[in-house]
Amino acid sequence: MKKTAIVTGGSRGIGYAVALQLGMENCNLVIFSRHLDDTEFSDFKERGFDFLLVSGDISQKADREKLLSETIGKYGRVDILINDAGVAPLERKDILEMTEESFDRVLSINTKGNMFMTQLVANQMIKQDKVFSRKGTIVNVSSCSAVVSSPNRAEYCVSKAGISMLTKLYADRLAKEDILVHEVRPGVIETKMTSSVRGKYDNLFQSGIFPIARWGKPEDVAHVVSFMVSDKFNYTTGDYIDVDGGFHIQSL
Ligand SMILES: NC(=O)c1ccc[n+]([C@@H]2O[C@H](COP(=O)([O-])OP(=O)(O)OC[C@H]3O[C@@H](n4cnc5c(N)ncnc54)[C@H](OP(=O)(O)O)[C@@H]3O)[C@@H](O)[C@H]2O)c1
């Protein structure tokens, strides 16, 4: 029997790399995002992956429910949930100018989406038969912004700090249900999300504030997620791994 993995935000960037990695590890894949184009998954077809595309908005209850029901309809169970779907503010604005609309948009996708997708899938995992070494694994993609202040995108930082607390809360509640919850904290990764600030980060790499002075690749994150969902990571829950080239190190 194969494990079934839901990857929200799996259409591109980090989520796509995670899905590709889990597909190579023989999981059935369910890819969820707002816009999905079958032609962008030709690589999955060529590799013979078994996958399902479900389009929807993670901030909407009906879309989250559709994601779960289509997953159960095709594969009958969920073993892995990767909460990756996320957005940056449409416009970077100083915290003194940030609008309520932007705050609501970012929090409802990044944090509310994570909170209620996890709730939905955890309840599904709990009622499933245990056929693998545990009932399920959930990985949250937060960010170094969960702990690093950027006053010109405060809503993003708050949304990611919320995900860190959700990781602890669900890990605490779900350990007795035989479900582990982990958090991966990417630093600066080369994806569409960072394409508009490429020059800024190129300069920061040159200035030396990242000990490993290069852009992170989506695969760098995918490899850590692969370890987290594996049977080599069994006695840890509610914890995080920085995938940030050492950016978190405070240095004098
Ligand atoms: N890139 C970085 O440097 C970096 C660093 C730290 C953390 N992260 C986090 O990593 C995750 C992935 O980021 P990325 O860099 O890979 O960004 P990306 O290339 O922009 O991909 C974001 C993914 O999320 C989906 N998505 C966005 N809003 C959604 C919604 N409302 N409902 C469902 N799906 C939605 C997007 O598809 P649609 O637009 O079609 O919906 C896409 O699949 C995000 O949570 C981000 O905050 C990224």
Side-chain angles (χ1 to χ4, degrees):
M1 189 179 205
K2 293 168 73 171
K3 288 183 183 168
T4 296
I6 293 177
V7 184
T8 73
S11 66
R12 61 172 188 264
I14 294 170
Y16 183 90
V18 170
L20 180 61
Q21 182 65 37
L22 297 183
M24 290 191 288
E25 291 167 12
N26 205 30
C27 291
N28 300 317
L29 301 170
V30 185
I31 308 295
F32 178 78
S33 67
R34 288 166 303 176
H35 318 98
L36 282 166
D37 180 351
D38 193 45
T39 60
E40 286 171 9
F41 293 88
S42 51
D43 190 21
F44 284 22
K45 283 183 199 151
E46 282 159 22
R47 290 170 183 268
F49 292 178
D50 194 342
F51 67 100
L52 172 68
L53 303 181
V54 182
S55 62
D57 184 335
I58 197 71
S59 68
Q60 300 300 312
K61 183 170 194 261
D63 291 359
R64 294 189 299 267
E65 288 174 350
K66 178 178 85 161
L67 169 57
L68 182 64
S69 73
E70 291 196 15
T71 302
I72 299 306
K74 176 150 186 184
Y75 298 116
R77 55 187 292 118
V78 190
D79 303 289
I80 296 168
L81 169 64
I82 311 296
N83 282 311
D84 170 82
V87 290
L90 293 173
E91 199 183 348
R92 290 189 174 197
K93 277 193 173 178
D94 185 85
I95 191 169
L96 296 177
E97 308 295 333
M98 188 221 296
T99 64
E100 285 197 34
E101 290 73 21
S102 181
F103 186 88
D104 287 347
R105 171 181 171 271
V106 173
L107 269 287
S108 85
I109 295 171
N110 293 4
T111 320
K112 187 184 85 170
N114 180 302
M115 160 68 215
F116 289 102
M117 193 65 220
T118 302
Q119 185 189 70
L120 197 60
V121 170
N123 280 307
Q124 169 64 31
M125 287 172 167
I126 288 167
K127 66 186 183 204
Q128 290 173 179
D129 291 337
K130 180 172 171 175
V131 294
F132 300 106
S133 60
R134 56 181 170 266
K135 277 201 158 188
T137 312
I138 297 169
V139 179
N140 293 329
V141 181
S142 67
S143 168
C144 61
S145 298
V147 290
V148 174
S149 165
S150 298
N152 65 345
R153 52 192 175 106
E155 60 277 63
Y156 185 77
C157 299
V158 171
S159 76
K160 294 297 182 176
I163 290 177
S164 296
M165 179 48 83
L166 286 171
T167 304
K168 286 187 199 171
L169 289 163
Y170 274 120
D172 188 12
R173 174 61 184 83
L174 295 176
K176 62 167 109 26
E177 312 291 353
D178 204 10
I179 298 167
L180 301 183
V181 186
H182 310 297
E183 174 186 347
V184 63
R185 279 189 194 163
V188 178
I189 312 294
E190 196 168 12
T191 67
K192 187 176 177 197
M193 184 177 276
T194 47
S195 58
S196 61
V197 283
R198 206 131 287 175
K200 170 188 165 168
Y201 288 117
D202 283 340
N203 292 336
L204 285 174
F205 293 130
Q206 279 179 8
S207 76
I209 68 165
F210 289 75
I212 302 175
R214 67 161 173 85
W215 281 89
K217 303 283 178 200
E219 299 73 36
D220 292 322
V221 183
H223 291 151
V224 173
V225 172
S226 159
F227 172 56
M228 286 176 153
V229 303
S230 77
D231 285 343
K232 292 179 180 157
F233 206 55
N234 291 327
Y235 194 54
T236 300
T237 195
D239 217 334
Y240 64 89
I241 295 182
D242 289 301
V243 187
D244 65 351
F247 175 58
H248 64 280
I249 299 168
Q250 290 188 314
S251 169
L252 273 177

